[in-house]
Every structure is written in structure tokens, then in C-alpha cells.
Amino acid sequence: MALMKEKKPSDKSEGSALSSPITQTAGASGSMNGNNVNIRAREICRRGNFEKSYVELRQLGLLDKEVAVTEKLFKEELGKLYPLSRKDLEMLSVIRLFDSKTFYHSVETYATAKKKIARPLESGSTFLDMLKNEGVSPEQFWRACLFHDIGKVVIPKFLLNSNYTDENWAQAFIQLSKRKAFSLMKKYAINIAPALLDDPETLMEHMIRNRIRGARFVPIKTLFSKKQIKLLESRGFSSNMSLIDIMQKHEKESEKILDFMGYPVEAKIAGSHHNYEIANKNIKKRTCTCSIADKNLASDIIHLADIQEALRSNRPYLAQRPVLKTLAFMVDDARRGLVNCFVAYLWIKDDMQKIDSGYLDLVLHHSEDDPEHGHLKDRKIELNTIQEFLAETEKWLKTPH
Ligand SMILES: [Fe+2]
Ligand SMILES: [Fe+2]
């Protein structure tokens, strides 16, 4: 399929390949050594604009070489994916050159979704059957899944892979002036009792336990250096944005990129894999009101696979999570209307069946003397949240609508 709106990159653009000594050598003799090819290709892929990077790699003849490298280095991983088109391989190569963590995360999210969608669920069918009923072909779903995060190319790498944890962000929030803290709580609709602002230790505990993530509302300028902020500003991001505000940009970028590559269905699916538009409206749902026919199943499955994958990948801004915590995050998202309750219900119910019943029993009935009491106490809160959600959804499903 022809590219929809391929643009010729400007010769005057910053760091233009046409003015690079490395490129001039390559262009003249075609004998650039492998290392230089890689360094140049990587630099091109890290400028924050997929379309320009893609066109430039092609014009310089680097894309063919990088596709060959991807195929050689990741032969085993690629063998586990759906039959990739040439354009799939090109997009994967850009992701690999941009950031290896995003590359692995993409492949792993695909693998997580693949395992899940073939499982027979409580509804009597599989997610794969349900996708077919929605008119999404397996290939479209696989591609949307594999490239759901390709829009991350717009995020500078130091931000994408920063080492700040939920605790670091909570700490940063605690150190803000009360006035600033109140204004952020108002802006982002964060529900924290004002009295807690006078008690840093309890506030920290409260934020972590209730999954109130500072990365969502604390300005990036609080934790990043002036030099880093300058780079962000040069890419059009404000220093008052939060890490998540910036990270959110990737969702619509993924949509734009897949559209640019000629995959409109996949673009739409990837374009709401987080449902940030709804998330930003800060709607808190108390009970499940999702319709089973929300027509957003493919995005919802990617959403849940993405949360699950974070458990393994230990993304820096999401601390490593026990399985119950992961499922509790899914419940939070279902309650906020970011993911269909019925889809989340089916996913969580299936996962709960895989957890050892002895462990669940221990979580529910452990004694305060247990050396793991702190850990188990948190898991118990999560387990209660999960069980409450499952019961609520079951009740809703049985009610005629
Ligand atoms: Fe994402
Ligand atoms: Fe993701």
C-alpha cells in the first residue's frame, strides 16, 4: 500500500543528514562501516518525529540495512509474531533504533495479548471470537497491538526511561508548597484530605496505598534538570506538564503514525489503547454501566495487556507490581470508564483463577504477627477491591437492561 502523505524532510532541518560528514561519506562511497550506519540511524530515530525519521532513513538507504539487522538480531522473537509485512519490519526497526525497552515492551505486550485472547473465558467464548464479531481481523489486531506504543518516539528517552518511582513522585509532591499542592489537586481532581498535607509520612503512605500517582500531576520541572527541561521545551512540552501529561502524547502519535503508514483500522485501535481522552475528564464510576457492545474491544484488550506487561517490565515510572496490584489497577481503569467493565471482568476473572487459592487465603486471613504483614495488608486491600468489582459486575450482568 502506498504511503498516504509521505513528506520530503527539509534540507535545513536541525542535524540534517545532508550536512552530516558521516552521511556524506556513505552517500559518496556507500562504504560506511556498520557502526556508523547504526549510530546515524539511531540519531535520526531519536529526533522525535517518526515521519521525518522514516523518510530520511529511506532517502539515505539506511532503512534496508536496519530491517536486515532487525531480522538478524531478533530472528527468534519475530518468528513468534504474525507474518510481518515489509512496512511492519520497517516500523519495528524504527522502534528498535529509538529505544530497545519500547521494542521489547511492544513484543511482550503482543505476547501477553496473544496468550489471553485464545483462552476460553467465562462468557463461553474467547476474546478472539469477540474481536471477529466486532469486524476486527486478527492481523489488524496483532498490528495494532505490536505498534500501540510507536508514538513514544516523540518522547525524549531520558523521560521515557527515567528512574523515578511512585515513591519519588510522592516525595516530590510532599515537598511542594501547600498552595502549589492545592492548586495541582484542584487542576487534576486529586482527592486528598487537606489535613494530610501537614503529615508527610501519612500522606506518602496514603498516596502509595491508594495508587495516587504523583507522576500524573506533579510538574516535571520538580524532578528533572534545567538542561532536560530545555530539551523538552524545544520539543513543545511545557515544564509545568506532568510526566504522564507528556507520556499521554504517545497515544495519538501512535494513531498518526499508523495512519501515515497506511493502516487506518490499526490506527484507530492504537489511538485509544489508554483512552486518555476519557481519563482526563476524571469521571469516577461507582458501578459498572458499560455496554457489552462498546465496540472498543481491541483497544481494551491492548489496554489490559499493557498493564499486565508492566508487571514484568518494571517500567521506571510504574514500580514493580504484585499480580493483585496489577488487577487492582485494571479495576481502577474499569471504574474510571477507561476500559469496558465486562472486558476487564472477563480478564480479571480468568487471572484470578490462576492465582493459588492458598495465597489468596493467606492474604485474607493473615495475622498481624506475620513477618509479611505490611505486604499482605496492602494485597488484602487490593483483593477486596477486586472481589467487590467482580461481584458488582456479576450483579449488573444479571440485571436485565
Ligand atoms: Fe501506551
Ligand atoms: Fe504500552
Side-chain angles (χ1 to χ4, degrees):
M1 197 187 294
L3 290 174
M4 287 161 65
K5 45 174 182 173
E6 185 169 319
K7 286 186 227 138
K8 206 177 170 200
S10 162
D11 291 350
K12 289 177 194 155
S13 66
E14 192 192 272
S16 163
L18 298 175
S19 61
S20 155
I22 299 173
T23 313
Q24 280 167 3
T25 312
S29 64
S31 62
M32 194 196 306
N33 73 46
N35 263 349
N36 283 344
V37 171
N38 192 273
I39 290 166
R40 183 73 182 136
R42 263 193 308 184
E43 187 272 319
I44 291 170
C45 292
R46 291 176 184 181
R47 286 185 199 154
N49 184 317
F50 176 88
E51 294 181 19
K52 282 188 180 169
S53 304
Y54 180 76
V55 172
E56 192 165 338
L57 288 176
R58 273 174 68 143
Q59 285 178 338
L60 296 172
L62 296 178
L63 205 48
D64 288 343
K65 293 185 181 93
E66 293 304 331
V67 163
V69 172
T70 305
E71 284 183 300
K72 195 175 163 200
L73 286 180
F74 298 97
K75 199 170 173 226
E76 203 183 310
E77 285 84 351
L78 301 190
K80 292 178 194 160
L81 302 175
Y82 62 98
L84 298 177
S85 70
R86 164 76 195 182
K87 282 197 287 183
D88 289 330
L89 283 165
E90 290 173 349
M91 288 191 283
L92 258 189
S93 300
V94 172
I95 297 179
R96 172 180 65 76
L97 288 159
F98 165 67
D99 177 50
S100 61
K101 279 191 183 165
T102 305
F103 177 89
Y104 285 112
H105 166 69
S106 304
V107 173
E108 284 301 320
T109 304
Y110 169 94
T112 303
K114 189 178 177 188
K115 261 189 234 155
K116 194 68 166 190
I117 69 166
R119 288 177 67 82
L121 302 169
E122 202 184 75
S123 59
S125 60
T126 64
F127 280 138
L128 192 59
D129 297 329
M130 291 161 73
L131 279 170
K132 280 182 196 156
N133 291 340
E134 277 200 5
V136 176
S137 77
E139 187 181 328
Q140 286 166 333
F141 174 72
W142 296 135
R143 182 170 292 113
C145 198
L146 189 59
F147 297 109
H148 72 284
D149 273 344
I150 193 166
K152 282 187 177 168
V153 295
V154 299
I155 317 281
K157 277 187 54 128
F158 73 84
L159 205 75
L160 194 64
N161 297 328
S162 72
N163 289 317
Y164 297 124
T165 60
D166 286 348
E167 282 81 359
N168 294 136
W169 284 106
Q171 198 70 49
F173 177 67
I174 286 163
Q175 279 164 13
L176 294 173
S177 69
K178 255 187 170 179
R179 212 171 127 228
K180 185 75 198 159
F182 275 126
S183 104
L184 289 173
M185 281 159 58
K186 194 173 168 209
K187 183 178 167 197
Y188 288 88
I190 308 295
N191 197 7
I192 294 176
L196 279 180
L197 296 180
D198 294 321
D199 182 353
E201 214 171 290
T202 315
L203 175 56
M204 175 88 164
E205 214 183 300
H206 175 80
M207 287 176 72
I208 301 302
R209 181 156 294 152
N210 292 285
R211 303 179 294 283
I212 300 173
R213 300 174 54 212
R216 190 157 84 79
F217 53 91
V218 177
I220 41 162
K221 66 180 175 194
T222 323
L223 285 182
F224 290 97
S225 72
K226 279 192 177 142
K227 197 178 160 197
Q228 290 169 323
I229 296 297
K230 227 174 161 180
L231 173 71
L232 284 165
E233 285 173 339
S234 75
R235 296 231 181 141
F237 299 115
S238 147
S239 62
N240 282 318
M241 291 171 89
S242 71
L243 175 66
I244 303 285
D245 285 338
I246 297 177
M247 290 298 299
Q248 285 191 357
K249 300 288 174 199
H250 83 275
E251 187 183 43
K252 288 297 157 203
E253 280 302 320
S254 293
E255 182 170 350
K256 262 168 64 186
I257 292 167
L258 284 162
D259 240 335
F260 171 74
M261 294 301 285
Y263 296 119
V265 175
E266 291 87 334
K268 267 201 113 37
I269 297 170
S272 51
H273 74 274
H274 291 289
N275 242 328
Y276 283 136
E277 263 172 49
I278 293 186
N280 293 336
K281 288 182 185 155
N282 291 309
I283 304 162
K284 272 257 175 204
K285 283 194 174 186
R286 294 261 168 254
T287 51
C288 177
T289 51
C290 288
S291 156
I292 294 170
D294 268 356
K295 291 279 174 201
N296 209 26
L297 179 63
S299 304
D300 285 348
I301 296 173
I302 297 174
H303 185 120
L304 297 171
D306 193 41
I307 294 179
Q308 193 126 312
E309 205 286 309
L311 178 74
R312 277 186 296 267
S313 68
N314 189 16
R315 237 181 284 171
Y317 60 96
L318 304 172
Q320 186 91 25
R321 298 169 180 165
V323 69
L324 289 174
K325 193 165 194 173
T326 304
L327 299 181
F329 268 97
M330 292 180 182
V331 171
D332 287 349
D333 283 3
R335 288 221 164 111
R336 290 170 66 202
L338 308 187
V339 64
N340 183 300
C341 295
F342 182 55
V343 176
Y345 167 85
L346 289 175
W347 186 295
I348 294 169
K349 192 102 198 215
D350 183 52
D351 270 13
M352 286 298 286
Q353 280 163 9
K354 291 188 239 163
I355 304 175
D356 179 55
S357 58
Y359 173 69
L360 294 180
D361 207 47
L362 177 68
V363 167
L364 286 176
H365 308 292
H366 69 279
S367 91
E368 284 193 15
D369 304 331
D370 194 300
E372 292 287 310
H373 175 63
H375 162 85
L376 292 169
K377 196 171 137 201
D378 287 347
R379 302 297 81 79
K380 188 175 174 178
I381 295 170
E382 289 150 7
L383 183 53
N384 286 335
T385 303
I386 295 162
Q387 288 180 330
E388 208 177 275
F389 169 75
L390 293 177
E392 214 171 75
T393 312
E394 260 157 34
K395 195 174 153 201
W396 179 85
L397 288 168
K398 283 178 192 154
T399 315
H401 298 281

